[in-house]
Amino acid sequence: MQVTFVTTIVVGAPLVALLAVVVELQTWAARANFAIRVGAVVWFCTAVAVYLYARREQT
Protein backbone atom coordinates (compact mmCIF):
# COMPACT_ATOMS: atom_id res chain seq x y z
CA MET A 1 0.00 0.00 0.00
CA GLN A 2 2.80 2.42 0.83
CA VAL A 3 4.57 1.59 -2.42
CA THR A 4 1.40 2.35 -4.37
CA PHE A 5 0.94 5.66 -2.57
CA VAL A 6 4.53 6.85 -3.02
CA THR A 7 4.74 5.67 -6.64
CA THR A 8 1.46 7.38 -7.48
CA ILE A 9 2.69 10.68 -6.06
CA VAL A 10 6.13 10.45 -7.68
CA VAL A 11 4.71 9.53 -11.10
CA GLY A 12 1.28 11.14 -10.93
CA ALA A 13 2.07 14.66 -9.76
CA PRO A 14 4.45 15.49 -12.61
CA LEU A 15 2.14 13.79 -15.11
CA VAL A 16 -0.89 15.79 -13.99
CA ALA A 17 1.18 18.99 -14.07
CA LEU A 18 2.43 18.28 -17.59
CA LEU A 19 -1.04 17.43 -18.86
CA ALA A 20 -2.49 20.55 -17.24
CA VAL A 21 -0.15 22.69 -19.34
CA VAL A 22 -1.79 21.59 -22.59
CA VAL A 23 -5.40 21.87 -21.33
CA GLU A 24 -7.05 25.23 -20.75
CA LEU A 25 -8.43 25.31 -17.21
CA GLN A 26 -10.03 28.65 -16.46
CA THR A 27 -11.48 28.10 -13.00
CA TRP A 28 -10.27 26.48 -9.81
CA ALA A 29 -13.16 24.03 -10.01
CA ALA A 30 -12.05 22.99 -13.50
CA ARG A 31 -8.47 22.55 -12.26
CA ALA A 32 -9.57 20.44 -9.30
CA ASN A 33 -11.86 18.33 -11.46
CA PHE A 34 -9.07 17.77 -13.99
CA ALA A 35 -6.58 16.77 -11.29
CA ILE A 36 -9.05 14.33 -9.74
CA ARG A 37 -9.96 12.70 -13.06
CA VAL A 38 -6.36 12.34 -14.27
CA GLY A 39 -5.13 11.39 -10.80
CA ALA A 40 -7.70 8.60 -10.55
CA VAL A 41 -6.49 7.07 -13.80
CA VAL A 42 -2.85 7.36 -12.69
CA TRP A 43 -3.66 5.80 -9.31
CA PHE A 44 -5.55 2.91 -10.91
CA CYS A 45 -2.75 2.15 -13.38
CA THR A 46 -0.13 2.36 -10.63
CA ALA A 47 -2.15 0.11 -8.32
CA VAL A 48 -2.55 -2.55 -11.01
CA ALA A 49 1.15 -2.39 -11.89
CA VAL A 50 2.23 -2.69 -8.23
CA TYR A 51 -0.21 -5.56 -7.66
CA LEU A 52 1.11 -7.46 -10.68
CA TYR A 53 4.70 -6.83 -9.62
CA ALA A 54 4.03 -8.04 -6.04
CA ARG A 55 2.17 -11.10 -7.31
CA ARG A 56 5.06 -12.01 -9.60
CA GLU A 57 7.67 -11.51 -6.87
CA GLN A 58 5.85 -13.62 -4.28
CA THR A 59 5.74 -16.74 -6.44
Side-chain angles (χ1 to χ4, degrees), residues 6-46:
V6 171
T7 306
T8 301
I9 291 175
V10 168
V11 173
L15 182 63
V16 170
L18 287 173
L19 290 174
V21 171
V22 297
V23 176
E24 187 162 334
L25 302 167
Q26 295 183 3
T27 65
W28 283 104
R31 292 175 185 151
N33 192 15
F34 176 80
I36 290 168
R37 286 185 290 143
V38 174
V41 173
V42 170
W43 178 83
F44 182 76
C45 293
T46 304

